[in-house]
Every structure is written in structure tokens, then in C-alpha cells.
Amino acid sequence: DKFAPAEKADGDGHHGGHDAKKRPVVVVVDVMHWWVGNHLGWGAPGAPPDWSAQLGSDREFDANLRRYGKDLDALVEHVDKAMKGTGRPYRLVGKANHDWHTFKPDGVEHRFLSAMAAHVKKAFESKKHHFFDWRALTEKAKSDDMWEMADNFHQTVEGSKHETLAFMDWTRTALPEKFAVNLDVQFAKRAEEEAARAAAEETERKAREAKEAKEREEREAKEAKEAKATLRDNLADAQKMADNIESFLTKQREKLFKETGVLR
């Protein structure tokens, strides 16, 4: 139940660089989709889930919401206790998640996730923790054409990138400075790796094209050489045939002259 993996100590029992158990950590709790999928149903692939049976009345709606609230409250308490046991400075953040792709704006599924999000906010902020409303940000991002779904449950790569940047910005204002999440180094490294990959692909492409060009030149040169040799052989055969014909005609003329005395 520890959320901070232990680092191996060096020879004198100390950790290299900063002590892992002293570094600040931000723990994001995001269980909305997991909970409704497991308790109310995921739906068939590509088809919208139908939660009308479980949420069809106000009584059933409220009962399931209380059930989720109880589970979430217990999870927050568990995570908080576990993080205190690590000895690390930490902040807990509850995250409200986006709708599934097939949800209708006026559907019971949308209304239930909205109610869940409200409880996430209450559950975390009432315990002096924090709340990241990704659900509200997705609605804004949709209107700005900056976010869309890849399938029924998952956002696109661009959507995830937008979320990451939005979360980083949020931590800079909502959390103490030492808890601000900064992935600039990772982004720069990824960009560097992408540039290196593109350069390697370009080098490979040029080498492949150069090899293909060389093989084509060698093939064309070989074909030209073979064609020249074939032409030379054909000319030699034709000349030989002409010589044979000439020899035959000469013999025939000689024969005719001996027999008739007429030279033709």
C-alpha cells in the first residue's frame, strides 16, 4: 500500500542524489470511469452503456451516488493514510473525468457523472485536499476544437497532451510551488528523441534511395551490355548467313559456267 517505490541505497546506505522519500509527490485519484464501468456496466464495444435500469428513478440514482460516495471517501482515507506513512511531502488531487463518447447531454449517464464529479470535489476539498476539474476543461476544450475522443472511453493523443498541459498549469496556481508539476524536461527530451528518430528515418530513406539508384544503374548497365552483346551476336550471325549465301551463289555460278559456258 505504499505509493512511493523504494530506491536502492548506495554502499554507505544513502540514496544517490535526492532521497526518494523526501521528494514532493502529487497523487491524482481518478476512479470515476472505473467505478461506473464496473458497477453500472461498460456497454457493448462501440455502443452506449444503458444505465437506465440502475439510475431510472431518483431513488436509484441517489442510492448509487451514495454508494460511489462511500467508496470514494474510503479510498481517499486509505490513500491519505498510505501517503502519510511514506514520510514524503504530498498533495492529493481528486480528478473529475470526462463523459464517454456516446453520452447524450441530457442523458442519465451524463447527469450521473456530473453528480459524481461534484462528490469528487466535495470528498477532496472537505479533507483539505485538492480538486482538478478535467470534466469542465474538456467541455471548454471541445468548444475550442482542442479535444476529442479516440473511442468510447479514451481521448486522443492530442487530448491527453492538452490534459497534461492543463494539469501542469493548474498545479502551478493551485498547489504550493514545490508541488508544481513540470514536464518541460520530458517534453524537450521527447522532442529531441522525435527529431533524432526523424533524422534517422531520413538518413535511412536517403541510403535506401541511393542503394536503389545504384542497383538501378547497375541493372541498366548490365542490360545495356547484354543488349549490345546480343546485337553483336545477331550481326555476326547475319554476316555469317550472308557469307554462306554468297558462297552458295558463287558455287552455283561456277557450276553453271562449267555446264553451259555462260557466266552469270
Side-chain angles (χ1 to χ4, degrees):
D1 291 334
K2 300 300 183 183
F3 289 81
E7 286 191 351
K8 292 182 179 179
D10 55 26
D12 58 2
H14 293 86
H15 295 281
H18 298 290
D19 190 333
K21 292 187 176 181
K22 298 300 181 183
R23 290 200 301 269
V25 60
V26 176
V27 180
V28 179
V29 179
D30 174 12
V31 294
M32 284 177 52
H33 287 178
W34 176 88
W35 194 93
V36 291
N38 280 278
H39 289 278
L40 303 182
W42 295 99
D50 183 2
W51 298 340
S52 57
Q54 300 97 318
L55 306 174
S57 68
D58 289 343
R59 180 179 178 182
E60 291 167 328
F61 189 102
D62 293 341
N64 275 288
L65 188 60
R66 284 194 299 272
R67 185 182 179 191
Y68 170 70
K70 182 179 179 181
D71 288 348
L72 182 63
D73 292 344
L75 178 63
V76 173
E77 182 179 353
H78 175 74
V79 175
D80 195 18
K81 181 179 179 180
M83 287 309 302
K84 286 177 180 176
T86 67
R88 295 177 64 173
Y90 69 94
R91 287 292 185 273
L92 298 187
V93 177
K95 174 187 170 186
N97 220 320
H98 56 77
D99 274 356
W100 295 357
H101 179 60
T102 49
F103 284 2
K104 297 178 180 179
D106 58 348
V108 68
E109 293 82 12
H110 169 82
R111 289 191 293 109
F112 190 71
L113 254 68
S114 296
M116 291 174 73
H119 188 82
V120 174
K121 177 178 174 66
K122 178 182 177 182
F124 280 82
E125 292 185 344
S126 66
K127 300 296 184 182
K128 307 302 181 184
H129 300 309
H130 304 273
F131 173 67
F132 177 60
D133 197 354
W134 173 235
R135 184 173 180 77
L137 287 174
T138 60
E139 296 304 315
K140 176 65 168 60
K142 287 178 187 177
S143 65
D144 295 338
D145 292 327
M146 297 178 64
W147 185 86
E148 60 183 11
M149 297 288 284
D151 56 30
N152 195 25
F153 312 116
H154 305 101
Q155 59 201 18
T156 60
V157 173
E158 286 302 314
S160 294
K161 181 178 180 181
H162 179 65
E163 178 183 0
T164 300
L165 294 174
F167 181 72
M168 287 168 54
D169 289 342
W170 177 84
T171 62
R172 294 186 181 106
T173 57
L175 304 181
E177 183 178 356
K178 67 179 180 179
F179 292 101
V181 176
N182 189 334
L183 299 180
D184 292 343
V185 173
Q186 289 90 331
F187 286 152
K189 183 177 180 180
R190 181 176 298 177
E192 182 180 341
E193 291 174 347
E194 178 62 22
R197 183 192 63 78
E201 288 181 353
E202 179 66 10
T203 299
E204 182 181 355
R205 182 188 66 79
K206 289 181 178 180
R208 183 174 62 252
E209 291 179 350
K211 180 181 179 181
E212 291 173 351
K214 182 179 180 181
E215 291 176 347
R216 183 170 58 252
E217 291 176 359
E218 291 176 347
R219 184 172 62 254
E220 291 174 350
K222 181 180 179 181
E223 290 173 352
K225 183 178 180 180
E226 291 175 348
K228 185 176 180 180
T230 300
L231 177 61
R232 184 174 59 249
D233 292 343
N234 289 341
L235 289 174
D237 290 342
Q239 184 62 49
K240 184 176 180 180
M241 183 178 295
D243 291 345
N244 290 337
I245 293 173
E246 181 62 27
S247 176
F248 173 76
L249 291 175
T250 299
K251 291 179 180 179
Q252 288 298 109
R253 286 195 295 269
E254 290 174 352
K255 180 179 179 182
L256 181 63
F257 176 73
K258 288 181 180 179
E259 292 176 352
T260 64
V262 178
L263 181 62
R264 295 185 178 181

